[in-house]
Amino acid sequence: MTILVKKGILAATPSDLLVIPVREGEVSALIKTIDQKLDGFIADVLKDEEFTGKKGQTLIIHTHHKIPAKRIFIIGLGKEEEITLEKIRRASAIIIKQALAHKAKRIAISLECLVVNKLKPQDVAHVFSEGVHLANYQFLIYKGKEKKEWEKDRITDLFCVETNASFVSSMKAGIASGTIYANATNYARNLVNTPAVHMTPHDIAKEAKKLTAIPGVKVRVYNEAEIRKLGLHSFLAVASGSEEEAYFIHLSYTPKQKPTATLAICGKGITFDSGGLSIKPAKYMDDMKCDMAAAASILGMFKTFGEIKPTAQIHGVIAATENMPSGTALRPGDVIKAYNGKTIEVVDTDAEGRLVLCDALAWAEKNLKPDLMIDLATLTGAAISALGQEVAAMMGTSPELMQQWKKASELAGEPMWELPLVEEYAELIKSPIADMMNVACVPWAGSSIGGLFLKEFVEKTPWLHVDIAGPAWVGKQILPYAPHGGSGFAVRTLLHWVRGL
Ligand code: BES
Ligand code: ZN
Ligand code: ZN
């Protein structure tokens, strides 16, 4: 689908679906102009249907060829003062769903009515285009008939027809950046949705290597023998149960000019989490191909660097392996030595995310010497119990970094909530026979305890841990732009964050 912004007259634009967003209590001048050609029909329908422009109200009206558009879609935005960028993102997704339901190939809309409440035309266009491309996403790689139908009926053009010429260039820029953010998110969704049999650690490494086509991006992939030489024994212990080779993947992006900062982002890349010998019950295992979602989001972020050209040097560090039970698998009770020399008693092999990330964090801090460090992981079911499917948990050692990240997450429409790293709970992961245990023997504060474990592997760098176990996977669709399956969560926050630095 291409989105085109131009100056012109919306009512005169040929399309299959002409979209009119309406603020509550206001019948726009545009509706009045069109209604003259429809002999007042729209006014009658609005009245009969008690359409006032409340948020969520929609109406579809056939034009009987009295204007060049086939149908008109009126969508209520709610009160003007309540219109936000997130509401625009959602409204644009609802528009796409309507277009798909009516097999409309060409959509026409004017975005200038959304430029209210001091919102900038560029930001309005950015979130509009994000919502459009995110809602248009479907995972059809494995489908037969449905894939063919989608190709036949797909939306081809979206025209943004504006009367205010001064908006056009900033809207064009917003549409372009929104498209980049959404495409990167959809790419991450594809990686997460691909079943574990086709998204092995080797496949993740292959995806990473493809990114070297981007100017400034380098990728180094370490195989198991090399990982052993590096001393990432905690990571290797998790990999020991799997037939699939594990890979430690280091991506780096260096800007052309002197970098404004050096950032390291570490990601959990468990391509399938069976739990290992502490095996998961079947109903908790069926979606565990999503346990590499953090790795997917890092790859999604890197994919944009040719276009967004960040000014910081950015490292991505991905620990990719399966977590499987077998005769060679890590056993509960085993003691392993991590990269930083700390010994870990593995009480539960299902708490494997922290075992791969602790090595990634310690390695990144020592070898990359970043100014700031973030890790992303589908780490704990406890994060889902606490915050549900739509909100990620975050915790860390730097209020400043936390604030930067929170701001980026708000711009992205990806909610995150801070949980405390309760120092007293660190006692709970002390082991009787090793330096620490990988789980605490209490059934509460699971996310904070995961964070406290990781904190032991960061010496001095300001660090933030983001547990995306909830929002990485959409079990039940709530947002109109995030269908069931991988969500690509955190790609857009990462992009706002790296651009803001
Ligand atoms: N990958 C899971 C966490 C997860 C659960 C992600 C649900 C997405 C959806 C993680 O490796 C795990 O199994 N964590 C355990 C930790 C526990 C043993 C301390 C959990 O949350 O049960
Ligand atoms: Zn697990
Ligand atoms: Zn896991």
Side-chain angles (χ1 to χ4, degrees):
M1 182 200 326
T2 49
I3 308 182
L4 188 79
V5 188
K6 59 181 182 185
K7 185 180 176 317
I9 296 163
L10 181 63
T13 308
S15 70
D16 302 311
L17 197 69
L18 188 154
V19 180
I20 309 179
V22 176
R23 290 172 251 164
E24 190 167 340
E26 171 222 47
V27 179
S28 65
L30 179 62
I31 292 190
K32 286 184 194 146
T33 321
I34 296 174
D35 213 12
Q36 280 169 6
K37 302 209 169 80
L38 268 69
D39 309 321
F41 183 65
I42 300 180
D44 288 346
V45 179
L46 290 178
K47 193 157 168 259
D48 286 353
E49 301 294 331
E50 296 179 7
F51 187 97
T52 56
K54 268 206 193 90
K55 187 170 80 70
Q57 269 189 326
T58 58
L59 263 185
I60 203 123
I61 298 169
H62 212 285
T63 64
H64 299 279
H65 310 293
K66 291 190 174 162
I67 59 168
K70 202 164 157 193
R71 287 186 181 89
I72 297 173
F73 177 55
I74 306 179
I75 174 166
L77 297 170
K79 297 199 181 77
E80 173 166 339
E81 61 274 19
E82 287 167 11
I83 296 174
T84 59
L85 292 175
E86 176 59 17
K87 290 212 174 111
I88 295 171
R89 202 183 269 118
R90 292 182 193 190
S92 66
I94 293 166
I95 292 164
I96 292 306
K97 287 180 146 191
Q98 275 293 333
L100 291 170
H102 287 92
K103 297 192 165 67
K105 287 172 166 293
R106 294 165 311 157
I107 309 170
I109 187 172
S110 170
L111 297 183
E112 55 203 25
C113 64
L114 304 172
V115 184
V116 293
N117 301 332
K118 299 196 185 132
L119 299 179
K120 296 194 188 92
Q122 181 160 348
D123 296 340
V124 165
H126 176 98
V127 292
F128 176 80
S129 116
E130 275 187 359
V132 161
H133 290 295
L134 293 173
N136 197 34
Y137 172 83
Q138 289 186 55
F139 185 66
L140 298 171
I141 296 171
Y142 295 96
K143 289 278 193 186
K145 194 165 151 240
E146 270 173 66
K147 189 175 170 191
K148 286 203 186 90
E149 271 169 17
W150 189 86
E151 272 156 14
K152 181 166 71 66
D153 296 330
R154 75 188 178 89
I155 306 166
T156 55
D157 301 285
L158 200 166
F159 304 111
C160 304
V161 188
E162 312 299 332
T163 54
N164 189 339
S166 69
F167 283 175
V168 169
S169 69
S170 47
M171 281 184 175
K172 277 187 178 165
I175 294 288
S177 61
T179 303
I180 293 167
Y181 280 41
N183 285 348
T185 308
N186 288 339
Y187 164 76
R189 288 174 171 182
N190 274 342
L191 299 186
V192 176
N193 286 331
T194 302
V197 64
H198 294 147
M199 191 49 61
T200 61
H202 187 255
D203 292 305
I204 302 239
K206 231 168 50 189
E207 287 300 322
K209 278 191 184 154
K210 282 189 207 161
L211 298 170
T212 53
I214 299 167
V217 174
K218 288 201 180 107
V219 177
R220 173 86 204 263
V221 175
Y222 299 89
N223 63 20
E224 284 188 18
E226 292 164 323
I227 298 170
R228 191 160 291 114
K229 273 195 204 138
L230 291 179
L232 308 178
H233 297 295
S234 182
F235 173 33
L236 274 183
V238 174
S240 64
S242 172
E243 301 263 332
E244 293 289 339
E245 178 94 3
Y247 293 98
F248 187 68
I249 305 161
H250 171 209
L251 305 100
S252 65
Y253 163 83
T254 310
K256 276 208 178 107
Q257 65 282 32
K258 189 171 175 289
T260 47
T262 299
L263 315 172
I265 302 144
C266 301
K268 173 173 175 181
I270 301 293
T271 58
F272 188 73
D273 183 9
S274 69
L277 286 174
S278 313
I279 198 159
K280 286 181 184 292
K283 79 173 165 103
Y284 292 107
M285 208 195 286
D286 58 356
D287 294 331
M288 276 304 129
K289 66 177 181 182
C290 82
D291 218 15
M292 39 58 77
S297 295
I298 292 174
L299 295 176
M301 170 189 70
F302 265 85
K303 211 172 169 62
T304 68
F305 286 172
E307 289 144 310
I308 73 163
K309 302 184 176 65
T311 56
Q313 175 167 58
I314 301 165
H315 296 283
V317 179
I318 295 171
T321 180
E322 288 185 325
N323 183 25
M324 298 294 261
S326 77
T328 57
L330 176 66
R331 305 160 197 81
D334 283 357
V335 174
I336 54 185
K337 194 179 222 169
Y339 178 76
N340 70 351
K342 289 196 179 167
T343 55
I344 305 164
E345 183 189 2
V346 180
V347 174
D348 190 325
T349 64
D350 196 12
E352 84 297 343
R354 59 200 74 182
L355 296 178
V356 306
L357 270 179
C358 69
D359 273 354
L361 281 167
W363 181 88
E365 183 175 38
K366 180 153 183 232
N367 295 282
L368 310 175
K369 301 184 176 53
D371 300 310
L372 301 170
M373 200 151 68
I374 290 188
D375 77 77
L376 291 176
T378 44
L379 204 77
T380 63
I384 314 179
S385 302
L387 300 170
Q389 186 199 269
E390 299 299 329
V391 183
M394 58 175 185
M395 54 208 92
T397 52
S398 158
E400 199 189 338
L401 172 56
M402 181 91 66
Q403 215 172 7
Q404 287 171 5
W405 182 258
K406 180 99 181 140
K407 191 173 152 217
S409 96
E410 276 160 14
L411 288 169
E414 295 179 320
M416 318 233 181
W417 198 257
E418 184 184 354
L419 294 182
L421 286 167
V422 184
E423 254 175 63
E424 289 76 8
Y425 299 169
E427 288 295 313
L428 303 171
I429 46 174
K430 284 200 173 142
S431 158
I433 64 161
D435 295 333
M436 51 204 302
M437 301 189 289
N438 76 330
V439 296
C441 300
V442 291
W444 38 257
S447 293
S448 294
I449 288 167
L452 283 163
F453 179 93
L454 294 174
K455 187 169 171 269
E456 295 294 318
F457 297 86
V458 182
E459 268 180 21
K460 53 175 198 286
T461 310
W463 157 79
L464 182 74
H465 159 59
V466 188
D467 190 335
I468 60 170
W473 182 260
V474 179
K476 179 180 166 37
Q477 178 159 11
I478 294 174
L479 299 174
Y481 55 78
H484 177 269
S487 64
F489 190 88
V491 171
R492 289 176 289 125
T493 299
L494 282 167
L495 291 174
H496 280 290
W497 180 63
V498 301
R499 280 179 109 179
L501 290 165

